[in-house]
Amino acid sequence: MAEKNRSIGIKSSEITPKQAYLSRRDFIKAAGVVAGSLTLASCAPASLQAASLPTPANPSLASKTDELGGQVNAFEDITGYNNYYEFTTDKAGVAPLAAKFKTTPWDVEVYGMVNKPKTYALEDLIRLFQPEDRIYRLRCVEAWSMVIPWQGFPLSKLLKEVEPNSDAKFVRFETITRPEEMPGLKNMLYPWPYQEGLRLDEAMNDLTLLATGMYGGELPAQSGGGLRLVVPWKYGFKSIKAVIKIELVSEPPATMWSEIAPNEYGFYSNVNPQVDHPRWSQASERRIGELNRRETLMFNGYAEQVAHLYDGMDLKINY
Ligand SMILES: Nc1nc2c(c(=O)[nH]1)N[C@H]1C(S)=C(S)[C@@H](COP(=O)(O)O)O[C@H]1N2
Ligand SMILES: [Mo]
């Protein structure tokens, strides 16, 4: 499909910064420049560069790959190119706006159809569940992807703690709203708060992670700190950031994107190269930092772990 057709539906205000951003990254890669800072050397004093370039807690993770051989993305890509509409719809604009967002202390309330509802402090979750390293692909519905080294624990561990009762069939997640710190909340086009949902068996799958850290350090605000859901076989918007509420419910919960455009964003939103978005193809994707497009894989390459969850379902209907 022609480039212009793939871009249909993305607001022009989003296209310009994205393309500018990508072309800069491509230039760095294509020129074979090892350190990105070299290209900045002529335009800023060293002290300013050091302050403005984010650094990962564990830079050696940059040399790792996911289980399919995909290179972990640069920390500056992961923390500089974000979808986080509570701040702004400008992907490069999220990081500066999120810089002052406080991610500690952080509490999450787990409640609803459970025997033991409880509000947990993030540090208690970390102590209880001992986050592990997980390198996951993130495939955005806009057809770009990244490889991200998370630290986190399976959501199933937390759900087992609160003991869902027999009426619990779905899980609803809700993002914090802090209007004074999140200027995007003024945009009334979106039905805040950001909400997402999973079926209980999807939530219990071992791949489903609650991320508490990234690149060996704390979870940056723009990446969804204090606590962020990561569901790697679904489009990126299911991986809800800054989670403060987790509710066990009996019916499929409303989700922000399916409220806005139910014909475009279904409850499942599994990555599926055979089911196109009504306005663009989902057959291929642009890996941030790479020049050539990649074929998109069924369930984002996690079919072995999750395809059984959808046995007998028509994924064209349950998109
Ligand atoms: N609360 C909240 N969560 C969110 C979003 C958002 O706007 N608000 N954007 C989603 C989308 S569309 C994507 S692709 C991923 C992007 O995650 P990243 O910025 O860490 O790459 O976050 C998802 N989670
Ligand atoms: Mo996305």
Side-chain angles (χ1 to χ4, degrees):
M1 189 181 273
E3 180 72 44
K4 67 176 188 337
N5 289 341
R6 271 204 316 277
S7 302
I8 290 171
I10 301 171
K11 281 187 295 181
S12 59
S13 62
E14 290 167 64
I15 288 169
T16 307
K18 178 183 177 184
Q19 287 177 343
Y21 179 89
L22 290 176
S23 54
R24 186 184 145 257
R25 293 292 307 159
D26 291 346
F27 173 75
I28 292 168
K29 297 264 157 151
V33 175
V34 179
S37 58
L38 274 181
T39 61
L40 295 175
S42 57
C43 42
S47 58
L48 200 78
Q49 284 173 44
S52 57
L53 287 177
T55 49
N58 181 0
S60 74
L61 286 168
S63 65
K64 297 254 182 185
T65 58
D66 67 13
E67 77 285 3
L68 301 180
Q71 187 81 34
V72 163
N73 272 94
F75 187 72
E76 69 163 310
D77 287 347
I78 298 171
T79 58
Y81 185 78
N82 301 101
N83 268 340
Y84 203 161
Y85 282 19
E86 287 88 338
F87 289 97
T88 171
T89 56
D90 166 16
K91 293 182 214 315
V94 173
L97 287 172
K100 282 181 291 181
F101 184 79
K102 271 181 57 134
T103 58
T104 47
W106 195 269
D107 288 345
V108 59
E109 184 186 358
V110 193
Y111 65 108
M113 294 171 163
V114 299
N115 296 330
K116 297 168 154 180
K118 187 172 170 177
T119 297
Y120 293 85
L122 180 59
E123 69 252 31
D124 292 333
L125 291 177
I126 289 172
R127 196 175 35 75
L128 265 173
F129 301 130
Q130 301 284 310
E132 53 194 90
D133 292 323
R134 297 257 185 122
I135 297 174
Y136 280 162
R137 295 172 291 287
L138 180 137
R139 168 57 160 82
C140 179
V141 74
E142 296 163 336
W144 51 267
S145 62
M146 291 202 207
V147 180
I148 304 179
W150 304 108
Q151 283 78 45
F153 58 86
L155 171 64
S156 65
K157 290 192 179 182
L158 176 57
L159 294 181
K160 283 174 191 154
E161 254 334 270
V162 296
E163 298 179 6
N165 68 31
S166 59
D167 294 326
K169 299 285 189 279
F170 295 87
V171 189
R172 187 186 74 89
F173 304 85
E174 189 179 310
T175 296
I176 198 167
T177 53
R178 284 195 206 141
E180 63 292 351
E181 291 172 56
M182 296 170 134
L185 291 173
K186 290 193 200 90
N187 189 341
M188 297 312 286
L189 288 174
Y190 301 98
W192 311 112
Y194 198 105
Q195 297 187 76
E196 261 306 336
L198 295 173
R199 216 169 57 192
L200 186 55
D201 59 343
E202 297 177 320
M204 294 298 288
N205 187 276
D206 183 66
L207 281 178
T208 305
L209 205 69
L210 280 173
T212 56
M214 204 267 288
Y215 245 108
E218 284 179 3
L219 189 60
Q222 62 266 45
S223 301
L227 186 68
R228 187 243 178 100
L229 183 71
V230 188
V231 194
W233 72 95
K234 293 178 181 282
Y235 290 118
F237 64 84
K238 298 293 285 185
S239 293
I240 179 175
K241 296 175 174 182
V243 173
I244 53 160
K245 289 183 184 178
I246 300 178
E247 183 183 12
L248 281 287
V249 296
S250 60
E251 299 294 327
T255 72
M256 194 180 86
W257 286 106
S258 56
E259 274 186 79
I260 295 169
N263 61 320
E264 298 189 354
Y265 307 109
F267 178 78
Y268 286 96
S269 291
N270 293 313
V271 174
N272 188 339
Q274 288 148 31
V275 178
D276 287 339
H277 186 282
R279 290 183 281 135
W280 61 83
S281 167
Q282 293 292 15
S284 70
E285 68 201 55
R286 175 81 156 75
R287 178 69 48 84
I288 301 300
E290 290 182 359
L291 294 176
N292 297 321
R293 294 186 74 85
R294 290 173 172 254
E295 299 292 296
T296 287
L297 302 174
M298 188 63 201
F299 297 113
N300 201 23
Y302 299 97
E304 221 170 280
Q305 292 99 310
V306 299
H308 67 94
L309 295 171
Y310 310 101
D311 279 349
M313 283 175 67
D314 183 340
L315 298 179
K316 285 200 162 69
I317 295 168
N318 295 288
Y319 54 91

